[in-house]
Amino acid sequence: MIMEIDIQIVNNIDTTSVYQRLSHCKSGGICVFIGSVRDSTQNEKVEALDFETYEKMALKEMEIIAKEAGTKWKLNKVILHHVHGRKEIEEPVVMVGASSAHRDACFEACRFLIDTLKIRVPIWKKEFFTNKTVWVTEHP
Amino acid sequence: MIMEIDIQIVNNIDTTSVYQRLSHCKSGGICVFIGSVRDSTQNEKVEALDFETYEKMALKEMEIIAKEAGTKWKLNKVILHHVHGRKEIEEPVVMVGASSAHRDACFEACRFLIDTLKIRVPIWKKEFFTNKTVWVTEHP
Amino acid sequence: MKILLFGIAKDIIGTSSLLLKEAEKNPKTVGELKKLISNKYPKFKTLSSIAIAVNSCYAEDKTKLQSSDEIAIIPPVSGG
Amino acid sequence: MKILLFGIAKDIIGTSSLLLKEAEKNPKTVGELKKLISNKYPKFKTLSSIAIAVNSCYAEDKTKLQSSDEIAIIPPVSGG
């Protein structure tokens, strides 16, 4: 069984194509997680986020994560897309997903993808508040 | 906190609008599950599925499920879309999702939505095999 | 009393709705209706479960039926 | 020996890459580099963790460094 992997670091995430990217004739289930910019964090008003990436390494780590998911679950397709640059409220910043024959595998894999991405992929988020900017130095 | 609910029984599911339907200024996480037609079940080749719905009751049950999810988790938006009629391989047949401040809630809610839909919503699937058609009388 | 039929229930009975004439001894409760149906159409006994909806809500066996109710036989569902 | 800097590491050191001149006593291992950095820039000690990537892979403290390697300081990541 060959698993297809689609990994990207982009200016803007194309959420409209997510089904086309993950649908597969042997998949009955597709699970997608999209992270987006919230208007506040710990009760402070957020104006925007800015993502810096170590792109070469980030792509490599995202591929390692995709392949690790493929060894843990029987998946047909996996995507990991992350943005770089400044993003405003409600804009998508990360989109991960997996497709599989049954839904257990795609749900578990999708959760693994986002959890592991947040721990391991060299991407840094700066929060813009009204009067200051802060590098988030702990994944939430 | 008001939760927005989007429930539909449709001829075709519009997967391209899923982000727009679930994104929200107070949501950092969106989880979506899409079910689609697999080309086989228990090693038998499937040609298509046909969904019959008791539409009035199905919409009512889907709304009950959405509201129940809203009492279990803090959600900003919930969608439950299901098709009726004949669907070919790789076509989407169900799309459910939830958006919330943090990812735990949307993942758990999304899983609850699809699991509960499959148990309770009055929709029936007929499988078209090469030489026969079969009503699926057990949810998988 | 009119009863809507879906999925395999429609195939077993051979029609999309069932009309119980007033002349027949109409069931007074959901439980009685279930018994009546599965006695008349023994194939229902092969299904893993059978539910009755009254006015598009799942009903318990003790729920009373009125001839104005919208009644439906709900064989095991298989959406999604 | 050139070291890439990202996120808060860039702000602490004040530049996007650091050049260790040959004249300086260059670190031989990842562990030595970590010590050198956090002695020279004590603010790194306030971070919850600090990792070093060698040729775009996370490296262990015992990993040997060569001047041709692509070396990067990886402060706590916060993608997603």
Side-chain angles (χ1 to χ4, degrees), chain A residues 27-129:
Chain A
S27 289
I30 289 172
C31 184
V32 179
F33 174 81
I34 303 173
S36 52
V37 184
R38 270 190 306 147
D39 66 4
S40 62
T41 183
Q42 287 154 341
N43 291 321
E44 254 191 297
K45 192 169 171 283
V46 170
E47 302 200 325
L49 299 178
D50 197 2
F51 289 92
E52 184 177 348
T53 70
Y54 178 12
E55 183 161 338
K56 183 161 63 166
M57 181 175 169
L59 292 168
K60 216 187 246 188
E61 284 293 321
M62 285 156 86
E63 187 158 345
I64 291 170
I65 293 168
K67 285 179 177 160
E68 204 174 313
T71 65
K72 287 173 180 279
W73 297 279
K74 199 163 170 273
L75 306 174
N76 296 316
K77 286 184 169 182
V78 169
I79 62 165
L80 290 141
H81 292 192
H82 202 291
V83 296
H84 57 72
R86 183 181 166 105
K87 296 294 143 201
E88 312 292 328
I89 310 299
E90 274 199 68
E91 280 194 86
V93 301
V94 63
M95 178 168 80
V96 300
S99 90
S100 55
H102 303 287
R103 70 189 183 284
D104 276 345
C106 67
F107 265 103
E108 289 170 22
C110 187
R111 183 71 206 242
F112 169 82
L113 293 174
I114 186 62
D115 287 355
T116 314
L117 180 147
K118 279 173 178 270
I119 291 168
R120 236 163 63 182
V121 176
I123 298 179
W124 298 270
K125 183 184 342 206
K126 190 185 255 180
E127 289 172 332
F128 288 74
F129 297 100

Side-chain angles (χ1 to χ4, degrees), chain C residues 1 13-14 22-23 27 32 37 39 41 47 51 53-55 60-61 69 73 77-78:
Chain C
M1 185 175 280
I13 298 182
E22 293 298 323
E32 281 182 40
I37 294 286
N39 283 338
Y41 307 95
L47 300 181
V54 177
N55 300 321
E60 296 181 358
D61 280 1
D69 289 332
I73 298 182
V77 303
S78 52

Side-chain angles (χ1 to χ4, degrees), chain B residues 52-54 56-57 60-61 82 93-94 118-125 135-139, chain C residues 4-8 10-11 47-48 53 55-58 70 72 74-80:
Chain B
E52 184 178 348
T53 71
Y54 178 12
K56 182 161 62 164
M57 180 176 172
K60 216 187 245 189
E61 284 293 321
H82 202 290
V93 302
V94 63
K118 280 173 179 269
I119 290 168
R120 236 163 63 181
V121 177
I123 298 179
W124 298 270
K125 183 185 341 211
W135 283 108
V136 180
T137 52
E138 289 285 28
H139 65 89
Chain C
L4 303 175
L5 304 171
F6 296 96
I8 200 165
K10 204 167 57 174
D11 286 5
L47 300 181
S48 63
N55 300 321
S56 59
C57 289
Y58 285 109
E70 180 172 305
I74 310 288
V77 303
S78 52

Side-chain angles (χ1 to χ4, degrees), chain D residues 12-52:
Chain D
I12 289 174
I13 299 183
T15 170
S16 68
S17 70
L18 196 64
L19 202 65
L20 301 184
K21 289 181 211 108
E22 293 299 321
E24 289 189 67
K25 200 174 157 267
N26 272 6
K28 303 265 183 307
T29 65
V30 164
E32 281 182 39
L33 173 60
K34 281 185 182 174
K35 243 177 246 166
L36 187 147
I37 294 285
S38 58
N39 284 336
K40 200 161 173 188
Y41 306 96
K43 270 199 178 168
F44 276 111
K45 290 175 184 158
T46 67
L47 300 181
S48 64
S49 74
I50 187 91
I52 304 293

